[in-house]
C-alpha cells in the first residue's frame, strides 16, 4: 500500500478531458476577478471587521486585515503557479496529489470540503436571517425560521441554495453573469458605506491604535477552549488586544479572504488559464484588500473600539447607530443580503468542483464526476451538494463552526505553499506562465505565516479539526484507498511485471510502468 504515490500532471490533464466528465472553458479574466470579489466581499465586510476590532485588535484591526491580505497574497501566488501548470478543477487537492502523494491529497481535499461546505451552510443561514431584517426594515414581520415539530427550520437557506443550485446546473457562465450583477451592486453599497462612514470619523477614536493587552474575564475551561491555540501551547493566560490581539484578529478576518482559493478551483473552466488565472486572482485580491482596509478605517474612526466591545455582536450597523445615523442601517442590511448572495453561489460551485476532482480519481464514488452532455456541468453532483448544504444550514446550529472554515483554508494554504518547492524539484521541465518570485523564500514565508495564523485560532477549533481529520482518514482507508484509480493502475502495472512470461525488467535509464505512473 503506497500512500505516497503521486499522480502525474499529464494524467490529471488527460482525466480532465475524459468524455462525460469534462467541464466547459467559458470564464474570462473579468469573470475570475469578479468571482474573487463576489466570494470575499460578503456580509463579513459588515461584521467580521467589527468583531475583530471589538474583541481582539482595536483600531489596529487595519493591521490585522493587512497581515491577512499579505498572507493570502503569498499563498495565492503559489496557487497561481500551480494552476498555470495544472489547469484543472480541484485546486489544492490536485496540486497536492501531483507533489506530495495520495494520502496528503485526500486530507487536503477533505479539508477543502470542510471549508467550502461549512462556509456555504453558515452563510446560507445568515442570508435567511438578513432577509428577515430587510423585511423588518420595510415594515414586514417575516421570521427567519419556522418551527416544525419543535425543530427550527431556516427557510431562507433553502430558498437561496435552491436558486443558485439551479443556476449552476444550467451553466457556469450564466451563474457568473448573475454573480457579476450582484457583485457590482454590493461594491456600490460598500463604497457608499465608506464615504458616509468617513464623514463621522473622529481621530481620537484611533488612539490607542494598539490597545494594551489585558486578560479576558474568567478562568474556567470555557475560557481555555476559547483562547488561541498558540496561547494554550505557550502557557499564556487568556488575553485580548496588544500585539497578539492583532494576529488573533488577522486569524479571524482571514475568513474575508477565503474566496481566492475557491477561484483556483475553477481553473478547468477558464479560457487561456495560463494568463487569465493570475490576472483574475490578483486583480480581485487587490480590490478586496483595499475595500476591507477602508471599511475598517471608517469603522474604528466612527466609534471607539470599547463602544463596539459593549455590543453583544458588533457590526457596522452598531457603529452607525452609535453616531445616530439609523437610516444607514437599511443600506447596510440590503448590502449584507446582496453580499451574501454571491458568496453562496461561488462556494457551492467550489464545493462541487473539489468533490468532482476527488471522484474522478476514485477517492469518492466515480458516479459523482459525471457531467451533463448538454451544458458540461456536474448537474447530479451540484444538486447533491446543494441539498446537503440546504439541510445543514436550515436545520442545524452550523454557525458554531465558523472558525472551521479558516482552519480548513489555512491548512490547504500551508501544503500548497510547500508543494511549490516539491513541484520545482520534481518537474524542473515545467514552465508555468506564472512563477512565485524570489525562489524558495516566499513559499516558505507563506507556509510559516499560514501555520502561525492557524495557531491563533481557538483551542476548540483545533479539537473539532482533529475529529474531522480522524473521520476523513477512516473514510479514506475504508473506501478511497481501495477504489483509487491510481491504485488500480499500480496494481495493473505490478500484475504485468509479475505475470509469467512477462518481458524482462527494463534496462538502466528505461522507466517501468510503475515509475511512469508516479512521475510528476
Amino acid at each position: 500500500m503506497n500512500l505516497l504515490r503521486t499522480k502525474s500532471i499529464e494524467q490529471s490533464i488527460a482525466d480532465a478531458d475524459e468524455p462525460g466528465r469534462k467541464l466547459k472553458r467559458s470564464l474570462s479574466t473579468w469573470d475570475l476577478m469578479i468571482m474573487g470579489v463576489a466570494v470575499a466581499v460578503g456580509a463579513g465586510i459588515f461584521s467580521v471587521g467589527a468583531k475583530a476590532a471589538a474583541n481582539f485588535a482595536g483600531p489596529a484591526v487595519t493591521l490585522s486585515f493587512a497581515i491577512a491580505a499579505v498572507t493570502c497574497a503569498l499563498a495565492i501566488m503559489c496557487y497561481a503557479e500551480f494552476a498555470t501548470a495544472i489547469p484543472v478543477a480541484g485546486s489544492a487537492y490536485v496540486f497536492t496529489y501531483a507533489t506530495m502523494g495520495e494520502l496528503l491529497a485526500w486530507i487536503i481535499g477533505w479539508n477543502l470540503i470542510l471549508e467550502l461546505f461549512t462556509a456555504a451552510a453558515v452563510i446560507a443561514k445568515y442570508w435567511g436571517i438578513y432577509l428577515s431584517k430587510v423585511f423588518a426594515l420595510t415594515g414586514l414581520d417575516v421570521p427567519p425560521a419556522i418551527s416544525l415539530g419543535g425543530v427550527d427550520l431556516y427557510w431562507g437557506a433553502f430558498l437561496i441554495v435552491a436558486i443558485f443550485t439551479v443556476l449552476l446546473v444550467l451553466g457556469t457562465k450564466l451563474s457568473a453573469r448573475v454573480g457579476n450583477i450582484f457583485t457590482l451592486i454590493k461594491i456600490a453599497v460598500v463604497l457608499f458605506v465608506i464615504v458616509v462612514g468617513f464623514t463621522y470619523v473622529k481621530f481620537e477614536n484611533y488612539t490607542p491604535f494598539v490597545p494594551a493587552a489585558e486578560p479576558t474575564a474568567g478562568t474556567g475551561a470555557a475560557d481555555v477552549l476559547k483562547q488561541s491555540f498558540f496561547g494554550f501551547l505557550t502557557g499564556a493566560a487568556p488575553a485580548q488586544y496588544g500585539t497578539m490581539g492583532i494576529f488573533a484578529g488577522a486569524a479571524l478576518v482571514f475568513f474575508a479572504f477565503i474566496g481566492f482559493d475557491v477561484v483556483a478551483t475553477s481553473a478547468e473552466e477558464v479560457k487561456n488559464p495560463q494568463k487569465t488565472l493570475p490576472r483574475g486572482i490578483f486583480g480581485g485580491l487587490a480590490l478586496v484588500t483595499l475595500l476591507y482596509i477602508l471599511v475598517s478605517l471608517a469603522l474604528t474612526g466612527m466609534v471607539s473600539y470599547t463602544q463596539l466591545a459593549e455590543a453583544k455582536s458588533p457590526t457596522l450597523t452598531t457603529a452607525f447607530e452609535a453616531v445616530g445615523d439609523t437610516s444607514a442601517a437599511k443600506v447596510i442590511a440590503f448590502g449584507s443580503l446582496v453580499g451574501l448572495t454571491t458568496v453562496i453561489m461561488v462556494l457551492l460551485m467550489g464545493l462541487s468542483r473539489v468533490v468532482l476532482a476527488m471522484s474522478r480519481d476514485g477517492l469518492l464514488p466515480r458516479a459523482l464526476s459525471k457531467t451533463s452532455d448538454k451544458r458540461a456541468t456536474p448537474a447530479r453532483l451540484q444538486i447533491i451538494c446543494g441539498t446537503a448544504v440546504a439541510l445543514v444550514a436550515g436545520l442545524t446550529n452550523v454557525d458554531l463552526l465558523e472558525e472551521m472554515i479558516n482552519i480548513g483554508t489555512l491548512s490547504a494554504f500551508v501544503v500548497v505553499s510547500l508543494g511549490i518547492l516539491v513541484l520545482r524539484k520534481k518537474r524542473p521541465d515545467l514552465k508555468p506562465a506564472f512563477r512565485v518570485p524570489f525562489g524558495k523564500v516566499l513559499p516558505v514565508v507563506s507556509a510559516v505565516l499560514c501555520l502561525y495564523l492557524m495557531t491563533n485560532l481557538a483551542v476548540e477549533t483545533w479539537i473539532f479539526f482533529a475529529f474531522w481529520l480522524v473521520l476523513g482518514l477512516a473514510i479514506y482507508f475504508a473506501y478511497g484507498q481501495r477504489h483509487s484509480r491510481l491504485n488500480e493502475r499500480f496494481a495493473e502495472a505490478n500484475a504485468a511485471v509479475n505475470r509469467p512470461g512477462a518481458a524482462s525488467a527494463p534496462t538502466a535509464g528505461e522507466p517501468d510502468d510503475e515509475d511512469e505512473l508516479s512521475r510528476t
Side-chain angles (χ1 to χ4, degrees):
M1 181 170 63
N2 185 358
L3 301 180
L4 300 179
R5 57 192 174 214
T6 56
K7 182 180 180 182
S8 71
I9 292 172
E10 291 77 10
Q11 188 61 56
S12 292
I13 294 174
D15 286 349
D17 286 328
E18 183 181 349
R21 303 178 195 274
K22 294 177 63 173
L23 296 172
K24 183 179 179 181
R25 294 196 181 275
S26 59
L27 301 178
S28 65
T29 298
W30 171 256
D31 291 326
L32 276 191
M33 191 173 84
I34 291 296
M35 188 183 296
V37 176
V39 74
V41 182
I45 201 167
F46 304 111
S47 60
V48 172
K51 291 178 183 177
N55 302 321
F56 296 104
V61 69
T62 304
L63 297 180
S64 297
F65 274 113
I67 291 169
V70 168
T71 303
C72 183
L74 292 174
I76 290 305
M77 285 184 188
C78 300
Y79 269 84
E81 180 169 337
F82 261 122
T84 54
I86 321 175
V88 299
S91 165
Y93 158 74
V94 173
F95 308 155
T96 307
Y97 211 162
T99 54
M100 297 186 182
E102 184 174 281
L103 178 60
L104 194 55
W106 165 266
I107 291 173
I108 292 303
W110 187 241
N111 288 349
L112 288 175
I113 291 173
L114 167 69
E115 169 203 343
L116 299 170
F117 183 89
T118 307
V122 168
I123 294 173
K125 184 172 183 178
Y126 281 154
W127 187 90
I129 294 172
Y130 276 106
L131 181 62
S132 294
K133 288 183 178 180
V134 171
F135 280 135
L137 290 171
T138 60
L140 298 174
D141 182 19
V142 181
I146 57 177
S147 181
L148 292 177
V151 177
D152 286 336
L153 171 65
Y154 287 83
W155 60 272
F158 279 90
L159 175 65
I160 191 62
V161 172
I163 290 172
F164 277 112
T165 296
V166 171
L167 280 174
L168 288 165
V169 167
L170 292 177
T172 305
K173 186 66 176 180
L174 173 63
S175 305
R177 286 174 179 168
V178 174
N180 290 351
I181 295 170
F182 277 100
T183 301
L184 293 175
I185 293 172
K186 70 179 176 182
I187 289 175
V189 172
V190 170
L191 291 175
F192 167 82
V193 169
I194 291 170
V195 172
V196 175
F198 269 106
T199 64
Y200 295 106
V201 164
K202 296 179 180 179
F203 286 98
E204 58 265 30
N205 288 328
Y206 291 128
T207 56
F209 189 70
V210 181
E214 58 184 61
T216 56
T219 57
D223 295 283
V224 173
L225 292 176
K226 294 292 184 183
Q227 78 173 126
S228 74
F229 190 56
F230 183 81
F232 175 77
L233 291 176
T234 57
Q240 60 187 149
Y241 306 127
T243 303
M244 296 301 296
I246 296 174
F247 285 96
L252 177 63
V253 302
F254 193 82
F255 173 77
F257 296 96
I258 65 168
F260 295 97
D261 68 316
V262 179
V263 174
T265 67
S266 65
E268 196 175 316
E269 296 165 270
V270 175
K271 302 173 185 175
N272 192 9
Q274 282 71 21
K275 292 183 178 179
T276 303
L277 272 166
R279 292 173 182 173
I281 291 174
F282 292 126
L285 179 60
L287 179 56
V288 165
T289 302
L290 177 63
L291 291 176
Y292 270 123
I293 288 177
L294 289 174
V295 167
S296 64
L297 284 171
L299 169 71
T300 53
M302 289 171 67
V303 296
S304 168
Y305 73 94
T306 56
Q307 196 170 352
L308 289 173
E310 292 171 0
K312 182 178 179 181
S313 183
T315 64
L316 263 181
T317 304
T318 308
F320 278 98
E321 289 174 345
V323 297
D325 190 350
T326 54
S327 61
K330 295 181 180 180
V331 177
I332 293 171
F334 174 74
S336 298
L337 186 68
V338 173
L340 287 172
T341 303
T342 52
V343 176
I344 295 167
M345 180 196 75
V346 181
L347 290 172
L348 286 171
M349 188 190 80
L351 175 62
S352 67
R353 272 42 175 188
V354 171
V355 177
L356 173 81
M358 297 176 74
S359 62
R360 269 180 184 163
D361 294 330
L363 300 183
L364 292 173
R366 285 267 293 165
L368 296 176
S369 60
K370 289 281 188 180
T371 55
S372 164
D373 292 333
K374 182 177 180 180
R375 297 184 174 88
T377 59
R380 178 191 305 174
L381 177 57
Q382 197 70 67
I383 292 170
I384 292 172
C385 289
T387 302
V389 168
L391 288 173
V392 171
L395 298 172
T396 71
N397 198 15
V398 70
D399 43 309
L400 292 175
L401 300 178
E402 280 185 50
E403 281 198 2
M404 295 296 287
I405 303 167
N406 287 2
I407 202 167
T409 306
L410 286 165
S411 65
F413 278 16
V414 170
V415 174
V416 169
S417 299
L418 296 177
I420 284 295
L421 305 179
V422 180
L423 178 69
R424 291 175 179 176
K425 184 176 181 179
K426 285 190 170 183
R427 293 296 302 271
D429 58 302
L430 290 178
K431 304 296 180 185
F434 177 85
R435 285 179 68 89
V436 181
F438 302 110
K440 300 178 181 178
V441 176
L442 291 188
V444 171
V445 171
S446 172
V448 171
L449 275 174
C450 291
L451 188 60
Y452 180 67
L453 286 187
M454 285 178 71
T455 65
N456 277 275
L457 295 171
V459 171
E460 66 178 357
T461 301
W462 280 85
I463 294 173
F464 286 136
F465 187 53
F467 279 117
W468 177 258
L469 289 179
V470 170
L471 175 61
L473 289 173
I475 294 174
Y476 172 75
F477 287 110
Y479 181 90
Q481 191 276 329
R482 292 188 295 111
H483 292 83
S484 163
R485 296 188 74 199
L486 198 58
N487 184 45
E488 293 173 358
R489 293 187 183 113
F490 268 92
E492 290 170 1
N494 285 329
V497 170
N498 297 324
R499 189 180 302 120
S504 59
T507 59
E510 180 185 343
D512 61 17
D513 290 337
E514 192 165 334
D515 288 335
E516 180 62 26
L517 281 170
S518 61
R519 188 174 72 87
T520 58

